[in-house]
Amino acid sequence: MIEAAQLQTMSESEVRALALQMIERIERDGRAITWRDAKIEKLTFEMAQLKRLKFGVKSEQLDADQKTLFDETVDADMAAIEAELAELKAASAPQDTKPASVPKRAALPENLPRVERHHEPESTSCPCGCELKRIGQDVSEKLDYTPGVFTVERHIRGKWACVKCQTLIQAPVPAEVIDKGIPTAGLLAHVLVAKHSDHLPLYRQEAIFGRAGLAIPRSTLATWVGVCGVRLQPLADALKRHVLACQVAHADETPVAMLSPGDGKTHRAYLWAYAAGVFEPLKAVVYDFQPSRSGEHARKFLGDWKGSLVCDDYSGYKACFAAGITEAGCMAHARRKFMELHLSNKSAIAHTALELIGQLYGIEREVKDSTADERRRRRQEESAPIAAKLHEWLRVQRQKVPDGSATAKAIDYSLKRWSALTCSAILCRICIIFSQSALLFSTE
């Protein structure tokens, strides 16, 4: 704050500049408050909707297993929203506001083994020159888990005080994923991996933990999952920024069954996957869960990005290409059409197509560790003639096969997407783009 005496010593231009700065700051703070209030209102509404879904159901329409899975998802979502609301409200609340009281947590069972971790100050010398004396300690307990065995970490933080100047020194509290929570990062990682990678629902994990000596309620596990989702969001955002900073990205979508509340039925949702280019040093993949296969989801995710997108022939991406994104076809998808044809009836046409595509693959294997300039040169000198030969051969063969046949469909796929498969560059360079990473999550 500027004191009145300081204002009197400032020139008129300095006062005007200071006033402009304060106006800009007020406007900036106003926009931040407006955004925060809108976010709080949105999250509050979503929380009310989730509570209505969980507690307001009048008729039971799900079987026991489905309802358990549904309740776990709702609990996790509610915990995530509560964590976000707490952070937003903490940022907007006055600094002198006392935190709301929370119920005390039950002590961890005494029969579990304890592992003590001591935290002491780096130096026990007081700034006044005296040696500090240990006057006590604070002990907090975190629940950890080794598959099949629970252990308790005892964090003991010694208190050191100077008798002369009444100085108190203590090591800071180690940062935790869940503030003041009992689970360690290892236990949380185990729960997340078991749920999302090993496909173990929380009610099954509850039973597994019970056999290990401590049955953690599934509602508690769901809360942990929800809070971890909020904590991991910055990592997901960073991965998305990395993918959208690449000149080349891969995209594909995979159907997943999603339980719809109310009617007790499942419908098809989609997990959209976006991967960094195959030659990027960081092999990042970002998954975007959406309730449908609408191309609007891809347009929303990619935003203003204007690179080359490697994808299949799904029409949902067409609007992205109309907005300025370069379409780069996946040669693996074109090759798969001929591979299926060859496996089904040993087609001679499919065999020749596979041989020519295999020559292109061979060049890509040879240049995969080369520099970008070397890859470009090899593709111009070696890949371009093979691609031109393949294109002309496909056009000739298409005239010989009847419409509607499997061979015609395989050839039409490549001819229709030839510009995307060869992805002509600005200087008329032909660059065959192979999507090795796209094969990891492709479903077509």
Side-chain angles (χ1 to χ4, degrees):
M1 297 295 293
I2 302 297
E3 300 292 340
Q6 292 178 289
L7 288 174
Q8 295 177 358
T9 61
M10 299 172 64
S11 64
E12 182 178 350
S13 60
E14 291 175 335
V15 173
R16 186 179 293 108
L18 178 61
L20 291 174
Q21 292 178 1
M22 295 182 67
I23 291 174
E24 291 178 358
R25 180 178 179 181
I26 292 173
E27 291 178 348
R28 185 172 62 253
D29 292 345
R31 289 193 297 270
I33 293 173
T34 301
W35 174 87
R36 188 183 298 119
D37 290 344
K39 185 72 171 178
I40 290 176
E41 181 181 2
K42 175 178 177 292
L43 293 174
T44 302
F45 174 76
E46 292 179 357
M47 176 64 75
Q49 292 289 90
L50 289 173
K51 288 182 177 180
R52 181 184 62 81
L53 289 174
K54 182 176 181 180
F55 303 111
V57 178
K58 300 303 181 181
S59 60
E60 183 59 71
Q61 298 182 354
L62 303 178
D63 61 42
D65 290 339
Q66 287 179 324
K67 186 176 186 302
T68 298
L69 292 173
F70 176 71
D71 288 343
E72 290 177 2
T73 302
V74 172
D75 287 340
D77 290 343
M78 290 176 62
I81 293 176
E82 286 176 347
E84 290 190 68
L85 279 172
E87 293 178 358
L88 289 171
K89 291 179 179 179
S92 59
Q95 296 297 323
D96 56 353
T97 302
K98 293 183 179 180
S101 60
V102 294
K104 291 185 178 180
R105 184 185 299 113
L108 294 172
E110 293 294 335
N111 62 313
L112 296 179
R114 259 66 175 173
V115 177
E116 295 190 352
R117 304 184 184 278
H118 293 264
H119 309 273
E120 303 294 349
E122 295 182 359
S123 173
T124 58
S125 297
C126 183
C128 71
C130 299
E131 282 295 320
L132 300 175
K133 294 183 179 180
R134 205 172 195 278
I135 60 172
Q137 63 186 25
D138 287 332
V139 178
S140 61
E141 294 189 338
K142 306 290 181 182
L143 185 63
D144 195 11
Y145 178 71
T146 301
V149 179
F150 277 115
T151 58
V152 176
E153 288 186 0
R154 302 192 73 221
H155 292 258
I156 302 172
R157 299 165 51 238
K159 295 181 179 180
W160 297 78
C162 177
V163 179
K164 180 177 180 181
C165 63
Q166 303 298 311
T167 298
L168 177 65
I169 295 179
Q170 192 175 29
V173 178
E176 298 291 344
V177 178
I178 299 179
D179 188 31
K180 298 181 181 179
I182 63 171
T184 63
L187 176 57
L188 293 173
H190 176 84
V191 172
L192 292 177
V193 170
K195 176 177 174 60
H196 297 292
S197 183
D198 299 334
H199 309 290
L200 273 177
L202 298 183
Y203 74 90
R204 292 183 180 173
Q205 293 192 49
E206 178 184 16
I208 293 173
F209 290 149
R211 291 194 299 269
L214 179 62
I216 305 174
R218 71 194 69 175
S219 59
T220 300
L221 295 175
T223 300
W224 292 356
V225 171
V227 175
C228 285
V230 175
R231 299 292 183 263
L232 291 172
Q233 187 61 46
L235 177 59
D237 294 339
L239 287 173
K240 179 179 179 179
R241 289 193 299 270
H242 172 75
V243 170
L244 296 183
C246 300
Q247 294 183 346
V248 178
H250 307 282
D252 206 349
E253 65 288 338
T254 300
V256 293
M258 184 178 77
L259 183 64
S260 179
D263 56 8
K265 298 180 180 179
T266 60
H267 76 275
R268 176 171 288 190
Y270 282 85
L271 192 63
W272 296 71
Y274 303 88
V278 68
F279 295 110
E280 294 293 333
L282 180 60
K283 309 302 181 184
V285 180
V286 179
Y287 296 97
D288 184 30
F289 178 83
Q290 295 294 345
S292 71
R293 203 187 182 192
S294 170
E296 179 63 28
H297 303 310
R299 293 194 294 273
K300 182 178 179 181
F301 182 91
L302 296 173
D304 298 330
W305 183 71
K306 291 296 186 292
S308 297
L309 185 67
V310 183
C311 59
D312 56 20
D313 195 30
Y314 173 49
S315 60
Y317 298 110
K318 303 304 179 185
C320 298
F321 305 140
I325 294 177
T326 302
E327 181 181 9
C330 173
M331 185 63 76
H333 284 81
R335 179 183 181 275
R336 188 178 306 165
K337 307 293 183 182
F338 294 105
M339 177 59 71
E340 293 171 352
L341 190 64
H342 177 67
L343 293 176
S344 62
N345 57 15
K346 304 299 180 183
S347 167
I349 292 178
H351 179 73
T352 303
L354 290 173
E355 282 189 343
L356 291 172
I357 295 175
Q359 294 177 28
L360 296 173
Y361 270 58
I363 296 173
E364 290 300 309
R365 283 192 293 268
E366 293 175 3
V367 302
K368 66 178 182 178
D369 296 325
S370 303
T371 63
D373 291 337
E374 177 63 16
R375 289 196 299 269
R376 184 185 302 114
R377 185 188 65 80
R378 291 285 300 276
R379 287 167 176 167
Q380 289 176 341
E381 296 178 357
E382 303 177 34
S383 297
I386 299 174
K389 179 180 178 181
L390 174 61
H391 186 220
E392 181 61 27
W393 181 83
L394 289 174
R395 292 178 58 187
V396 172
Q397 297 302 316
R398 181 61 183 88
Q399 298 175 5
K400 299 179 180 180
V401 298
D403 296 339
S405 63
T407 303
K409 292 181 179 179
I411 295 176
D412 287 342
Y413 181 89
S414 295
L415 291 179
K416 176 185 175 182
R417 292 183 51 76
W418 192 253
S419 296
L421 291 174
T422 52
C423 192
S424 300
I426 298 176
L427 300 178
C428 298
R429 298 189 297 258
I430 294 181
C431 173
I432 306 298
I433 297 183
F434 296 95
S435 175
Q436 297 295 336
S437 57
L439 290 175
L440 297 177
F441 49 78
S442 175
T443 61
E444 296 190 6

